Amino acid sequence: MKDFPYTESKDTRSGFGAGLQELGRTNPNVVALCADLIGSLKMDAFIKDNPERFFQVGIAEANMMGLAAGLTIGGKIPFTGTFANFSTGRVYDQIRQSIAYSGKNVKICASHAGLTLGEDGATHQILEDIGLMKMLPHMTVINPCDYNQTKAATIAIADYEGPVYLRFGRPVVPNFTPADQKFEVGKGIVLNEGADVSIFATGHLVWKAILAGKLLAEKGIDAEIINIHTIKPLDAQLILESARKTRCVVTAEEHQMNGGLGDSIAQLLAREEPLPLEMVAVNDSFGESGTPDQLMEKYGLNEQAIVAAVEKVMARRK
Amino acid sequence: MSQDTSFAASSETHTPAATKSVAELKQIAAQVRRDIVRMVHAVNSGHPGGSLGCTDLLVALYFKVMKHTPQPFDMDGIGQDLFFLSNGHISPVFYSVLARSGYFPVSELATFRKLNSRLQGHPATHEHLPGIRVASGSLGQGLSVAVGAAQAKKLNNDSSTVFVLMGDGELQEGQVWEAALYAPHHKVDNLIAFVDRNGQQIDGPTEKIGGLGDLRAKFEAFNWRVLETDGNQFETLLPTIEEAQSLLGQGQPIMVLMDTQMGFGVDFMMGSHKWHGVAPNNEQLEIALQQLAVEEAGDY
C-alpha cells in the first residue's frame, strides 16, 4: 500500500475559494453569485479582487439560478455559490429548465454537502444531490476529495463548456493531492494499484478509502483504490479495467445509495461485467445532528465500514 | 406548402422604427394571428388565447422597437436588444413573429409541435431554433434570466436593452418576486419588463384564483418604474414603449403593465380563459380566419 504524505488538513470549500480567486485573475469572463453565504463558500477573496464581477443575490436561490443562466447570454461564465441542499433540491426546476435544458454554461458550486456538515442536522445535510444532478441531461457532476483537488477542479471547469455541478464540503480533511496535479474532468485517478478488490471512492470518502487500504494491507488484502472525482461522465473504461482485474468492487461516498456513485457503477457493471459489488453509502435515511466523525461512524461511512464491505464482497467473489 | 411573405425580413440588423407605420404593423399583426390559429388548429393543441392577446406587443418589439439581427443568429446578442418570453406557452406568437422577422423560414411554422421539430410546444434552445435564448414553459423563471442577461450587458458595456414578457397568472410564482426585489436593488436599469394583464389563467379569472391586486402599487413598492397601457392598441402601446425607453438608464428597472384581452382579434375567443389552451375546430378556424383578414394574405 502506497503512502500518501500530507502536511496539512484543509476544507474542500477553501479549495473552491482559492480556485475561484485564481479564476478572477486569469479569466475575465468568470463571474460569481452567492445567496448570502459568502463566508461559508470562501468567496471573499474573489469578491475583494473583482467586486464588479460579483452578484450578491440574497436568500433567493431560484432567482440566483435564473440570473446565472441569463449571465451566460453575453459570454459570462457564472459560478453560483450556496449550500449543496439549496444548490440542487431547492432549485431543481430552475436548473432543469433555465440551465440544463437550455444548455447554459453555469457552474453550480455547492458546499456543505453530506453528513459532514455536522450539527445543523438533516435539513441542511443533503444526501441526494449527486443523484438529482446526474439525472439531468447535459449535466456534469464532480465531487473532488481534498483542498488541492477542489481548487484544481474549480479552475478546470471554467474551461469546460456546459453546465457543471461541483460538490464540496465543510470539514477539514487531509490535503494529499499534489498541488500541481492537473484536473481532468471525467478521468478517474488510480491512487493505489492492487489485485484483490477495487475500491471506487469519491469526495471525502477517498481519504477514508486510503485509510481502509492500510487496514486491509495489514490483513494481507491488496486493494486497488481509485478516486472517481467525476461521477458524470463516468470513467467507464478505467472502472471496467480495474473491476475485470480484481473481480470484486466496493464503492464509497457521502451520499444516498440511491442515485450516487455506487448506483452509477452498479449500472455499468450490470451492463458490461456483472461482478459482486458492495456500496458504502447512506441507506435510505436522512441524517441528523452530531459531529462529522460521529455521523460518519453512525451512518457507516468510515474506513471500518469500507473494510467490512471489502471482506463481504471478497467472500462473494467467484 | 408555403411562400415567405413581404413580412419575412432581410438578414440585416433591424432598425425599422422609421419604416413601419401603425397600419403596416396592424397588417403584420393580423398575419401573425392567422399563423397562430392555423398552427394550433393543425396539431389540435397549443395556446391560442394568450398568443393572440400578446401579438401586438411582439409585433411592435420585433418590427419597430428592437435593434436585432435575425441572421446569423447569435446567442450572446452583443449590441442587440434581447427579448425573453417567460410565459413560454404562448410560443405560437413567438414563433410566428420570429419567422416573419427573419429568424427562420416561415414555412417551418408548419412543424409546430410535431415530432423532430425545432418548434417545440414550449420554446427551447435544445433544437437550436434561431431567436430562442432560453427555454421557458415552467413559469416564473424568465424575469430572473432577463435580469441576468441585462447585467451581462452592463459588464460588457453594451448599451442595448433587454425586454421580457410575463403572464399575469405567472406572477403567482415566488421566483418572480425574488427577481422583482433583486433588479431595483442592483439598479438594473437596462431592462423593460411587460406583464400581460389579461386577468385570466387556466382555472379562471386571476382575481378568483390567486388575486394579484394592485400590481402598480406592488411593483412601485418594490422600487420599479411602472407604466400602464392598452396592449392591444398600437396607438397606445407604441408611445408607452417609447416612454419606457426614455426612462432607461435612470437607476430603476421598468415595468409595463399591459392590459390585453386573451384571444384578441377572434371574437369568440376574446376575454375568456376557456381559450387558454384549446385549439379551434375546422369551423371555428374558418370563422377566425375571416375575422383576421389581411390585405395580402401570406399564410405559410
Side-chain angles (χ1 to χ4, degrees):
Chain A
M1 178 71 191
K2 266 172 65 180
D3 206 22
F4 292 89
Y6 65 95
T7 56
E8 58 183 353
S9 288
K10 286 171 122 174
D11 48 352
T12 51
R13 60 179 169 155
S14 287
F16 165 69
L20 190 64
Q21 183 183 21
E22 184 163 327
L23 286 172
R25 287 193 291 266
T26 58
N27 191 331
N29 286 324
V30 167
V31 300
L33 303 91
C34 188
D36 195 34
L37 286 169
I38 290 169
S40 297
L41 271 285
K42 305 294 181 187
M43 297 170 89
D44 318 68
F46 176 91
I47 298 165
K48 184 165 174 286
D49 295 347
N50 312 276
E52 76 291 349
R53 286 197 271 149
F54 172 71
F55 302 96
Q56 172 60 270
V57 183
I59 308 166
E61 295 81 7
N63 187 40
M64 178 164 73
M65 294 303 164
L67 293 169
L71 280 159
T72 67
I73 301 165
K76 303 304 165 196
I77 307 170
F79 283 62
T80 67
T82 184
F83 290 168
N85 188 20
F86 313 138
S87 294
T88 58
R90 189 177 181 92
V91 290
Y92 197 67
D93 189 44
Q94 285 77 16
I95 294 174
R96 181 175 183 272
Q97 174 172 286
S98 293
I99 296 175
Y101 185 43
S102 294
K104 296 305 183 200
N105 192 25
V106 175
K107 314 306 171 187
I108 301 162
C109 302
S111 186
H112 293 54
L115 290 173
T116 51
L117 171 94
E119 292 81 352
D120 279 348
T123 55
H124 289 51
Q125 290 162 340
I126 194 160
L127 293 162
E128 305 86 41
D129 53 325
I130 290 174
L132 287 167
M133 291 296 109
K134 83 176 187 185
M135 279 197 294
L136 289 170
H138 307 163
M139 184 64 74
T140 293
V141 179
I142 298 172
N143 188 190
C145 68
D146 65 6
Y147 174 95
N148 282 340
Q149 189 164 73
T150 308
K151 181 180 176 185
T154 303
I155 293 164
I157 60 176
D159 292 326
Y160 184 83
E161 181 69 27
V164 174
Y165 179 62
L166 180 67
R167 176 196 216 236
F168 41 90
R170 179 168 183 252
V172 294
V173 292
N175 183 27
F176 66 94
T177 297
D180 60 353
Q181 188 178 83
K182 190 169 180 291
F183 188 89
E184 291 185 75
V185 175
K187 292 284 175 210
I189 297 170
V190 179
L191 294 170
N192 190 66
E193 291 188 22
D196 295 335
V197 60
S198 300
I199 303 174
F200 300 110
T202 194
H204 292 143
L205 267 291
V206 173
W207 183 252
K208 304 287 187 196
I210 289 169
L211 295 179
K214 289 178 183 166
L215 295 174
L216 290 165
E218 289 166 11
K219 295 172 184 253
I221 295 170
D222 182 18
E224 180 143 294
I225 301 170
I226 299 184
N227 174 2
I228 303 293
H229 52 66
T230 305
I231 291 107
K232 186 185 170 190
L234 194 64
D235 192 345
Q237 190 186 343
L238 179 68
I239 291 166
L240 287 171
E241 275 173 14
S242 176
R244 282 172 176 144
K245 178 175 70 176
T246 63
R247 311 304 296 168
C248 62
V249 169
V250 167
T251 63
E253 62 197 306
E254 190 181 349
H255 190 271
Q256 298 288 351
M257 232 174 247
N258 281 328
L261 171 67
D263 165 302
S264 289
I265 291 178
Q267 286 187 43
L268 175 69
L269 294 179
R271 281 196 308 270
E272 301 287 341
E273 191 74 54
L275 286 167
L277 174 141
E278 292 292 330
M279 296 184 195
V280 172
V282 175
N283 187 9
D284 201 28
S285 166
F286 291 103
E288 65 181 87
S289 292
T291 68
D293 285 345
Q294 287 172 337
L295 292 165
M296 295 294 264
E297 184 182 348
K298 175 167 178 177
Y299 288 85
L301 302 183
N302 57 12
E303 57 270 33
Q304 288 82 12
I306 296 172
V307 168
V310 166
E311 289 173 335
K312 191 171 173 192
V313 84
M314 285 182 68
R316 290 172 57 204
R317 184 170 62 173
K318 285 172 185 143
Chain B
M1 173 166 69
S2 69
Q3 72 250 13
D4 290 3
T5 75
S6 58
F7 306 137
S10 72
S11 62
E12 291 175 19
T13 298
H14 262 259
T15 47
T19 62
K20 289 281 188 285
S21 67
V22 167
E24 287 172 305
L25 293 176
K26 285 181 177 173
Q27 286 295 305
I28 298 169
Q31 180 63 64
V32 167
R33 288 188 163 98
R34 293 176 70 86
D35 291 344
I36 292 165
V37 292
R38 294 180 69 241
M39 286 164 74
V40 297
H41 170 264
V43 288
N44 194 28
S45 75
H47 297 79
S51 293
L52 293 166
C54 291
T55 296
D56 304 301
L57 173 69
L58 267 73
V59 167
L61 290 177
Y62 277 85
F63 287 88
K64 190 157 180 81
V65 174
M66 285 168 42
K67 302 183 304 266
H68 61 120
T69 307
Q71 290 180 26
F73 173 65
D74 175 54
M75 178 58 80
D76 286 350
I78 306 284
Q80 299 184 51
D81 293 336
L82 305 181
F83 172 78
F84 293 95
L85 181 69
S86 188
N87 47 334
H89 58 276
I90 68 166
S91 58
V93 63
F94 196 16
Y95 293 147
S96 170
V97 167
L98 286 175
R100 292 192 180 275
S101 58
Y103 283 83
F104 56 85
V106 171
S107 58
E108 201 170 339
L109 296 177
T111 70
F112 174 61
R113 284 185 172 240
K114 291 179 179 167
L115 193 64
N116 300 321
S117 172
R118 299 195 294 180
L119 279 63
Q120 291 291 297
H122 294 79
T125 59
H126 197 244
E127 284 72 26
H128 304 290
L129 185 68
I132 311 291
R133 290 192 163 86
V134 74
S136 59
S138 177
L139 293 170
Q141 300 187 27
L143 184 58
S144 299
V145 175
V147 171
Q151 292 197 293
K153 285 206 176 293
K154 284 178 176 276
L155 287 173
N156 290 332
N157 295 312
D158 175 350
S159 62
S160 50
T161 304
V162 175
F163 297 89
V164 58
L165 172 62
M166 293 174 279
D168 54 357
E170 183 177 10
L171 300 183
Q172 290 158 359
E173 292 282 4
Q175 186 184 348
V176 172
W177 299 97
E178 293 183 7
L181 265 178
Y182 177 94
H185 179 77
H186 288 264
K187 299 185 169 29
V188 180
D189 58 4
N190 54 345
L191 173 76
I192 300 176
F194 295 86
V195 169
D196 174 28
R197 194 160 59 176
N198 62 24
Q200 307 291 334
Q201 57 191 109
I202 294 180
D203 277 355
T206 52
E207 292 316 293
K208 269 195 175 173
I209 306 300
L212 301 167
D214 186 346
L215 285 179
R216 171 182 274 274
K218 286 185 168 74
F219 281 106
E220 283 179 346
F222 278 58
N223 205 18
W224 288 66
R225 284 298 297 263
V226 180
L227 305 175
E228 295 181 71
T229 188
D230 183 330
N232 290 133
Q233 302 297 333
F234 287 114
E235 291 83 354
T236 54
L237 180 59
L238 291 171
T240 304
I241 297 173
E242 274 179 39
E243 186 185 354
Q245 289 177 297
S246 77
L247 297 171
L248 291 165
Q250 297 181 20
Q252 286 176 285
I254 296 144
M255 175 64 65
V256 180
L257 302 173
M258 190 181 72
D259 292 318
T260 70
Q261 282 206 61
M262 191 177 265
F264 191 87
V266 178
D267 60 7
F268 60 88
M269 291 186 180
M270 278 168 72
S272 166
H273 65 87
K274 296 193 174 65
W275 288 93
H276 167 88
V278 177
N281 61 28
N282 292 341
E283 189 184 344
Q284 289 164 330
L285 175 68
E286 286 313 310
I287 297 167
L289 290 175
Q290 283 166 24
Q291 295 176 14
L292 296 169
V294 286
E295 287 165 13
E296 194 181 341
D299 293 340
Y300 64 85

